[in-house]
Amino acid sequence: MEAVAGLLVMLLAVSHGVETKCDFRKKNGAQCYGALGGTVDLQLMDRAPERLTIYKNTTTILVWTKNTISKYNIKADKYSFTPSDGMLRISNLNRSDTDEYRLQIRNSDGALLDNWTLRLSIQAPVSSVRLVTECMSQGEMRVSCSVEGGDSPQYSWTLDGHTLTEDKLLSGNHETDSITLRQNVEGVLVCSVKNHVSHFNVRISTCGFIFINCTVSKIRITGWVFAATNTLCVEPTTTPTTTDTTVDPSLICGLQTAVAALLFIGIAAYFAWRKNKSQRAEGSAVPQEREDPETSV
């Protein structure tokens, strides 16, 4: 099938400096994600207790005792702890930071009060999204959405803000990276790509094809055409020139009065003429006296 139009859209995303946050307090064994090259904040507790120990697997990260950090086994520029809000920050995340982290809280006598664990996984965020579309000759639209960088990307499609349903698709589904839309689908199409540390949307309008079915100059025309340039069903016509004239209502009233007056005068003249004619006819009907020739001078 021949493609009549194509479009490439690319969204670039900056992945450096992404910050995420995880909470030890939610539940034991919780899953947490950090962005490669970014920073993650681990909420340990509301405030630091008398004695606190944080482990990365079996390695001790720090020990907090009597308001003092008493032990650091890893570089200080990698970890920072804020006792006032119980927050542990891990910076410059790399793949080796993926591990199980454990928090132990003890009282002043050394008795264990809490022992919580959290699993931290480091993912590369999506760095760019590439959207390629093809408008086919019969009105279908083929679209592919791909990413550069990013671990375990997940795809989803919407049309005018609603999840793309199967009745609008010839192939694919709303969770695949490539789809083909049916001919009669119109609207704003959005490809969403995300993982646990990034989320991006790319949008584009559909091809804009319409199905025509008309007769022009006794020729039947049917098929899918590009709506923006379609002239196949336009019948050549000559548009008559029209003049918009506004008439004053008082003028109309005056004309009506004049017509009524003329009509009244015409009727009066007609009856006067009839009367005059009738009188002349009566005068001609009376016999006139004739003079005797013998008496005439």
Side-chain angles (χ1 to χ4, degrees), residues 136-186:
M136 315 306 289
S137 60
Q138 296 301 312
E140 300 91 343
M141 182 178 183
R142 183 182 299 159
V143 193
S144 63
C145 190
S146 59
V147 299
E148 294 181 7
D151 294 329
S152 305
Q154 299 177 357
Y155 300 88
S156 62
W157 297 87
T158 60
L159 182 68
D160 290 338
H162 302 286
T163 300
L164 198 59
T165 53
E166 292 185 1
D167 62 314
K168 294 180 174 58
L169 292 167
L170 285 175
S171 64
N173 60 63
H174 72 278
E175 293 182 341
T176 58
D177 59 348
S178 297
I179 60 171
T180 302
L181 296 175
R182 295 182 182 274
Q183 294 95 332
N184 61 341
V185 176
E186 297 182 20

Side-chain angles (χ1 to χ4, degrees), residues 58-71:
T58 58
T59 302
T60 302
I61 294 177
L62 67 85
V63 177
W64 168 267
T65 305
K66 296 180 180 180
N67 297 326
T68 304
I69 296 177
S70 60
K71 184 178 181 180

